Amino acid sequence: MRNVHPDADGVFRVVAQQKNGSVPIGASLTATEDARSWLSPSGDFAFGFQRIRGKDNYVLSIWYDKIPDKTIIWYPQGNPMVSRGSKVELINGRGLVLSDPQGTDIWISSPISNLAYAVMNDTGNFELFDSDSRKIWESFSFPADTMLPTQIMKRGGVINSQKSETNFTGGRFQLRLLPDGNLVLNSRDIRSNYPNTAYYISGTYDPSNSTNSGDQLMFDATGYMYILRRNGQRFDLTPNDALPSGDYYHRATLNFDGVFAQYYHPKNSAGNTSWSVPWLVPGNICRDIVGERGSGACGFNNVCSLNGASRPNCECPPGLPLLDPSDPYGDCKLNFTPSCNEDEPYYKEDLDFMEFTDVDWPGTGTTYVIIDSINTQECKDSCLHDCSCAMAIHDGDKCHKKRLPLSNGWTNESLSLKAFLKYRKGELPRVSFPQFPGKKKNQKTLITIISALLGSSVFVNVIFIGVICLGFFLNYQRKAKNHYPNTKSVNTNLPHFTYRELVEATNVFKEELGKGAFGIVYKDERPSWKKRRHLALGIAKGLAYLHEECSTQIIHCDIKPQNILLDEYYNAKISDFGLAKLLIRNQSRTNTGIRGTKGYVAPEWFRNTPVTTKVDVYSFGVLILEIISCRKSVKENESGNDYGAILTDWAWDCYEERILDTLVGNDLEALDDYKNLTTFVMVGLWCVQENPSLRPTMRNVIQMLDGVVEVSEPPCPFPLSVTIS
């Protein structure tokens, strides 16, 4: 049976009355706080939208519905996370369709001309059937990060991890059954999907006898996993007798931290019983993942240690904060990057080292020199006088000199080596840096010293207290000298620059951009193509957050270079929300007067029509074309020749005539990365389409820039202008 109910927009849609897990054509679900779901006959599994913990986003998914934590076991690859009000619908001729609140398609299962119904079954598999009851699509064939009993992976099969616990986009790790029959775990480059060196190999490839090699990864109905060889023999993964008898749920998940583990959970448990782990690989991911490429179990410059559950913990070294504070497994940023540019000399007296024990960054890709028969001081001196050297690791009588970024960092008390990280004095606080992982050992040593002092004579204690007081006094005097007179001291983490550094950065204050109440703004030396790519992606992510991830949707209305702030690592921060427009819940467009800055204003502002977030997309399109070409959106040409005066027009001409070298001013670095250059230009041209409906969302922009979604050929952005001319 089916009932018909109106949506919030007044459109009547079919609401399924489920029977035996069956879902009829026309049935739909909407991402809301109290969203319904499609249940399997037993009620064990549910298909629908789950809200992501701590966010106002949702993920289309399949989960265990009877377990309190609602463990997710499937989600569509590529575009799983959506905003409130998004919808999934079963449509004949199209399949299972996921769309955003504006009705734009985000994900489609597969086009199906004679789709009849769908079934959420008790194995956790969501299936689509045609009018002859033939199965024509199933979620088991497109796994996310989890396998379930009765699910099979064939040779060439792959699953990707999540990016983090709350980010369901594709992460850094893969489980693959290679064509040769080996089951492997490897990290990957997310942008290119290029696999790095495997850190787990099953050993089920036999070069001397192909019939003895692996053929399928099996997860049988009893909960045991094994690799089925081509000769029919088994290579067991789940240890014998590792699973309890009784009624249990079973799953095997490639976790976001790169550990592949099998889990079981009692079906009829009282309270919040957790999942148990009968086996996992690798045994020590911190140590086993070391390779030439990739950052390791943790991000670049990060340090991995193993917890009691054989899962990695990641911790940035003191003074090196996380690049993304919300991702402890991500990269740690350094406050000093050694430079070998002759125009930017450094002085060894300005440098110092942070010292670590029981820590190593053994990534071979970052080691460029190994010196034998050398002591610790000689190792440090060698790094000090080498502008390419960011870290020196002294192990025995060997000195390993490393470049940035550091990879595969891990810690263990059994390591007998010392690591020295070079930094510029004044950029990091002069504190005693704790050792990894022996913090308790250091604390115990400190307690012992204090106890010994307190147990000594009164005379010694008086001297000790006097030394401390003198130290505080000198420190106070030093701080007082470092501040301007007659001003109050303000604690800040803003970087400080010497006059010499400012002279060099601005080419002796050559070009003035403008003046304000706080002083004059001067233009910096063109950024590298790599930095420009990073900048464009950062701005896109900031806008996507405003448009889709904020609890209240925000249209900025004035995206332009002057409103983009950069930190020292070229991380973009969107600023100046003076013209911003808030959208109330379930509102996708608004009426307001013209807002913005000449050269960045979308055409719909002048048509007296409601505006949407697509006005920011247009402004971003102009901005990304500026970032690519390193020129203004509107250029005043003193020669009187108007060709190329409007950046969007000129960019289209350069793209259409395939002369992108002209657009980037023969920037060799950009031209060497021609594929990405073309992608970025195409994205910019899609964003500046006169028709707002043709512009992508900022989430789509990120996916295109990241290479997750292929970019199609853009049409002429201004067909009306072309027709008139």
Side-chain angles (χ1 to χ4, degrees), residues 450-468:
I450 293 174
S451 299
L453 287 169
L454 294 178
S456 61
S457 68
V458 175
F459 177 72
V460 172
N461 284 332
V462 170
I463 293 177
F464 174 64
I465 294 171
V467 169
I468 291 177

Side-chain angles (χ1 to χ4, degrees), residues 379-576:
C379 181
K380 289 174 65 176
D381 289 342
S382 178
C383 183
L384 183 67
H385 291 85
D386 184 348
C387 66
S388 296
C389 181
M391 168 171 277
I393 295 180
H394 190 250
D395 184 5
D397 64 347
K398 294 182 183 294
C399 181
H400 301 254
K401 293 165 66 173
K402 291 180 172 290
R403 297 188 180 96
L404 295 175
L406 304 168
S407 61
N408 304 103
W410 75 294
T411 178
N412 191 294
E413 290 183 347
S414 64
L415 294 173
S416 57
L417 51 80
K418 289 186 177 181
F420 304 95
L421 178 62
K422 187 162 64 176
Y423 72 98
R424 193 185 299 274
K425 295 176 183 177
E427 291 187 339
L428 292 176
R430 287 292 296 167
V431 297
S432 57
F433 296 99
Q435 311 301 312
F436 287 88
K439 292 183 178 179
K440 293 182 178 179
K441 177 175 66 177
N442 293 342
Q443 292 169 356
K444 183 177 179 181
T445 302
L446 179 60
I447 292 171
T448 302
I449 294 171
I450 293 174
S451 299
L453 287 169
L454 294 178
S456 61
S457 68
V458 175
F459 177 72
V460 172
N461 284 332
V462 170
I463 293 177
F464 174 64
I465 294 171
V467 169
I468 291 177
C469 292
L470 179 61
F472 277 120
F473 174 76
L474 293 176
N475 187 53
Y476 174 80
Q477 291 289 88
R478 179 182 61 82
K479 287 184 177 179
K481 291 179 180 179
N482 286 338
H483 290 85
Y484 292 111
N486 303 320
T487 61
K488 294 183 178 180
S489 172
V490 179
N491 290 327
T492 177
N493 60 356
L494 294 176
H496 296 269
F497 300 97
T498 65
Y499 184 78
R500 183 179 66 182
E501 289 173 325
L502 294 177
V503 169
E504 293 174 353
T506 61
N507 195 16
V508 197
F509 307 111
K510 181 177 181 181
E511 185 172 351
E512 180 181 318
L513 296 180
K515 298 180 180 180
F518 291 95
I520 304 173
V521 179
Y522 294 95
K523 183 177 181 180
D524 192 357
E525 269 40 70
R526 169 185 288 207
S528 68
W529 169 242
K530 182 179 179 181
K531 286 182 178 178
R532 278 147 51 206
R533 281 179 49 193
H534 175 73
L535 171 59
L537 188 58
I539 299 170
K541 290 179 178 178
L543 282 173
Y545 176 81
L546 297 178
H547 292 177
E548 301 182 31
E549 298 180 23
C550 284
S551 56
T552 301
Q553 195 177 28
I554 299 174
I555 306 178
H556 186 278
C557 299
D558 197 19
I559 294 299
K560 58 182 179 179
Q562 295 91 327
N563 290 339
I564 306 298
L565 304 181
L566 305 179
D567 65 14
E568 65 270 36
Y569 302 101
Y570 269 72
N571 295 315
K573 310 291 182 183
I574 298 174
S575 67
D576 197 345

Side-chain angles (χ1 to χ4, degrees), residues 24 49 75 97 197 213 240 278 440 461 471 525 614 638 658:
F49 292 100
Y75 45 86
V97 180
T197 306
S213 296
N240 290 330
K440 293 182 178 179
N461 284 332
E525 269 40 70
K614 294 297 182 71
E638 297 178 356
R658 298 300 188 261

Side-chain angles (χ1 to χ4, degrees), residues 646-719:
I646 306 299
L647 177 58
T648 51
D649 296 6
W650 185 51
W652 168 253
D653 291 341
C654 291
Y655 173 75
E656 190 177 35
E657 297 171 19
R658 298 300 188 261
I659 51 172
L660 295 187
D661 53 338
T662 301
L663 181 64
V664 297
N666 291 311
D667 184 332
L668 295 181
E669 184 187 3
L671 293 174
D672 284 342
D673 189 25
Y674 198 81
K675 181 179 179 181
N676 281 316
L677 171 60
T678 305
T679 296
F680 274 53
V681 173
M682 292 168 69
V683 170
L685 293 173
W686 273 114
C687 290
V688 296
Q689 294 290 315
E690 279 192 358
N691 184 348
S693 65
L694 293 180
R695 298 173 207 152
T697 65
M698 290 310 303
R699 182 175 296 279
N700 295 146
V701 167
I702 294 170
Q703 292 164 345
M704 290 188 287
L705 296 181
D706 267 335
V708 175
V709 174
E710 186 175 352
V711 189
S712 58
E713 290 280 340
C716 177
F718 20 83

Side-chain angles (χ1 to χ4, degrees), residues 160-164 168-174 188 190 256:
N160 294 321
S161 68
Q162 294 177 201
K163 197 168 186 179
S164 69
F168 289 80
T169 54
R172 294 195 294 121
F173 301 98
Q174 291 182 319
R188 65 169 182 141
I190 294 178
F256 72 92

Side-chain angles (χ1 to χ4, degrees), residues 183-197:
L183 184 71
V184 301
L185 288 170
N186 58 265
S187 62
R188 65 169 182 141
D189 176 72
I190 294 178
R191 183 175 180 82
S192 66
N193 200 36
Y194 189 85
N196 297 322
T197 306

